[in-house]
């Protein structure tokens, strides 16, 4: 048995607000159904689903983390800032990554990083 792909589905309070946030990160809408409160977005080879119906407890903090690996971390951060996001500086981790960490409008955690050149 094997899997062909994995697509995370993030719970959101407002589909419109969340889609706008992810678009600022460079994602584009592949499919959207406002009646369902659902959308599929992509950026390069990566996909994510956003869904209002699975947000059963909207006030509970999120405990999962999506780790995004852009080709060029500095350029990715610059583009997201130019699109209107306020982002922290890139830092070095003890595990050899350059990264910054943010939350989407619903508290879903995003860590965005790239292996540091040695």
């Amino acid at each position: 048995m094997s899997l062909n792909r994995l697509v995370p589905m993030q719970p959101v309070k407002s589909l419109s607000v969340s889609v706008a946030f992810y678009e600022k990160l460079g994602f584009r809408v592949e499919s959207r159904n406002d009646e369902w409160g659902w959308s599929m977005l992509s950026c390069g080879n990566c996909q994510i689903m956003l869904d209002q119906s699975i947000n059963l407890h909207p006030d509970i903090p999120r405990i999962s983390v999506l780790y995004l690996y852009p080709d060029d971390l500095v350029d990715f951060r610059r583009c997201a800032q130019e699109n209107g996001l306020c982002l922290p500086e890139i830092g070095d981790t003890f595990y050899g990554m350059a990264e910054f960490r943010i939350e989407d409008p619903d508290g879903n955690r995003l860590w965005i990083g790239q292996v540091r050149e040695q």
Side-chain angles (χ1 to χ4, degrees), residues 13-57:
K13 294 176 190 171
S14 167
L15 185 63
S16 296
V17 169
S18 295
V19 165
F21 173 84
Y22 282 93
E23 286 177 328
K24 290 177 182 176
L25 287 176
F27 284 81
R28 66 175 179 75
V29 175
E30 284 187 15
S31 183
R32 180 172 175 164
N33 188 316
D34 288 328
E35 185 177 314
W36 299 344
W38 172 90
S39 185
M40 170 77 82
L41 294 88
S42 65
C43 183
N45 293 324
C46 299
Q47 293 178 305
I48 186 171
M49 286 186 269
L50 306 176
D51 192 322
Q52 290 178 181
S53 72
I54 61 172
N55 199 22
L56 299 177
H57 306 286

Side-chain angles (χ1 to χ4, degrees), residues 71-95:
D71 292 332
D72 183 331
L73 180 63
V74 172
D75 187 54
F76 182 88
R77 183 178 175 278
R78 180 189 54 75
C79 289
Q81 282 186 304
E82 288 175 357
N83 288 334
L85 293 180
C86 181
L87 302 174
E89 295 296 322
I90 296 171
D92 293 319
T93 69
F94 69 90
Y95 45 88

